[in-house]
Amino acid sequence: MPNSPSPTQAPSRIPSNRSADTPSAAAMGQSTNNVPSGSLNPGDADVLARAQAGDHQAFAQLYSVHKRRIYSLCLRMLGNVAEAEDLTQEAFLQLHRKIATFRGDSAFSTWLHRLSVNVVLMQLRKKGLSLVSLDEAMEPTPEEGPGRSFGSPDLVLTGAIDRLALERAVAELPAGYRLIFILHDVEGFEHNEIASMLDCSIGNSKSQLHKARLKLRDTLRTQKRREERS
Amino acid sequence: MTGGPSKLSCAEFQAQMPELIGLGKDAATHPHVQSCELCRALLADLETIAEAARELFPSVEPPDEVWEHIDSAIKREQADGIEPGLTPHRQ
Ligand SMILES: [Zn+2]
């Protein structure tokens, strides 16, 4: 299996040329929608530099550019407004403490997302939520092995999936799966970006995403079966 | 790949799925999918889920109080002598 070199060191700018990283592709492999809105205007590099130099006004501007994206990430992961507000606050406070250390070897928006993901993960650990660690997820478990049967094709989830049912199913995922699913399928990050955010391999990110989708499918099919019975 | 992709069992094909999908290849054109109804259904479901995900959890603005809290916390920290960038670089 081709294992591409670790992308963490490679400069990757989110907004520009996302298609250069991956071949043009079917929906599942590449998400083009919801591209993280890290797109900075030319003047934003200046704002960033001023914020790094301690300009409070510039920091406030950075906040207003990125607040929606970071708050939404927290809300998607925690499912709770009060916690999402606290975590957003914590993420930007950490940003304020660390901003001078940003070196520009990755896109600022990716760097900030990574920082925020860590804030979220820390909170989940504090709450003792199962993360299904990234390593653990790589070990095939018997019932999740590729050979398991997955029932009859007549239970295909064709057509529109009920959005609320899917959101509920996502909320039930183990936090580690949920995080990768949200980063990739909901927010549109690429596997190399996720791997660098989570310090894992690209293969690991792909495999976790796959397992997350399989679990969602199971949940939705179980629901559907129940509905058909009643 | 030895033995030709069309000779794959479902288990072998499914083991390749994360990589195949992750590369952004159109997995539906894979010979195994073309000849296997089960794996075709599985793939279609996963595609449906990935598509539907784009509409999930619409992004929201945080309330203004969040900035007010950040703002006052920053000012508190600065009053305590913590300047931006002085925290050890930990990434
Ligand atoms: Zn098959």
Side-chain angles (χ1 to χ4, degrees), chain A residues 75-198:
Chain A
L75 195 54
R76 286 163 180 155
M77 280 305 294
L78 275 307
N80 172 305
V81 168
E83 272 181 294
E85 291 179 13
D86 286 351
L87 292 187
T88 303
Q89 184 183 333
E90 177 58 26
F92 278 96
L93 281 177
Q94 285 201 18
L95 173 66
H96 189 263
R97 291 181 207 124
K98 293 178 179 169
I99 193 164
T101 67
F102 173 66
R103 295 274 172 261
D105 46 8
S106 64
F108 176 72
S109 57
T110 311
W111 188 77
L112 173 57
H113 222 74
R114 176 189 177 132
L115 182 155
S116 310
V117 161
N118 280 317
V119 169
V120 166
L121 286 176
M122 226 172 334
Q123 173 74 1
L124 292 171
R125 285 199 191 99
K126 226 186 273 170
K127 295 172 71 174
L129 285 187
S130 91
L131 289 181
V132 181
S133 85
L134 294 170
D135 311 328
E136 202 182 312
M138 283 305 279
E139 286 163 24
T141 51
E143 89 276 24
E144 282 187 357
R148 79 182 165 143
S149 76
F150 37 82
S152 51
D154 58 302
L155 256 173
V156 169
L157 308 165
T158 43
I161 299 181
D162 178 51
R163 190 169 70 88
L164 290 179
L166 184 52
E167 285 189 353
R168 268 199 307 276
V170 172
E172 282 169 22
L173 283 175
Y177 289 162
R178 186 160 77 248
L179 181 57
I180 295 217
F181 181 79
I182 284 172
L183 289 174
H184 188 280
D185 281 0
V186 178
E187 302 192 334
F189 284 96
E190 304 289 351
H191 285 295
N192 61 349
E193 294 164 334
I194 295 170
S196 108
M197 275 180 221
L198 300 181

Side-chain angles (χ1 to χ4, degrees), chain A residues 56-74:
Chain A
H56 188 64
Q57 199 66 41
F59 187 81
Q61 256 175 284
L62 277 187
Y63 174 78
S64 64
V65 171
H66 296 280
K67 63 181 176 182
R68 187 184 187 100
R69 190 166 53 87
I70 300 306
Y71 178 67
S72 299
L73 167 74
C74 297

Side-chain angles (χ1 to χ4, degrees), chain A residues 202-221:
Chain A
I202 293 181
N204 203 331
S205 172
K206 287 175 184 171
S207 122
Q208 288 243 91
L209 175 65
H210 190 66
K211 287 181 179 175
R213 287 171 177 161
L214 286 176
K215 270 194 189 294
L216 290 174
R217 179 183 193 246
D218 274 354
T219 308
L220 293 171
R221 284 162 64 99

Side-chain angles (χ1 to χ4, degrees), chain A residues 13-56:
Chain A
R13 308 235 157 231
I14 283 201
S16 65
N17 252 342
R18 294 175 73 83
S19 52
D21 298 342
T22 28
S24 69
M28 272 205 297
Q30 185 190 34
S31 17
T32 48
N33 164 357
N34 269 345
V35 168
S37 63
S39 45
L40 295 177
N41 302 318
D44 292 344
D46 175 55
V47 173
L48 177 56
R50 283 193 288 122
Q52 287 190 289
D55 179 336
H56 188 64

Side-chain angles (χ1 to χ4, degrees), chain B residues 57-72:
Chain B
F57 310 110
S59 77
V60 226
E61 291 273 323
D64 292 344
E65 296 93 83
V66 175
W67 171 250
E68 287 156 23
H69 291 152
I70 294 169
D71 192 36
S72 54

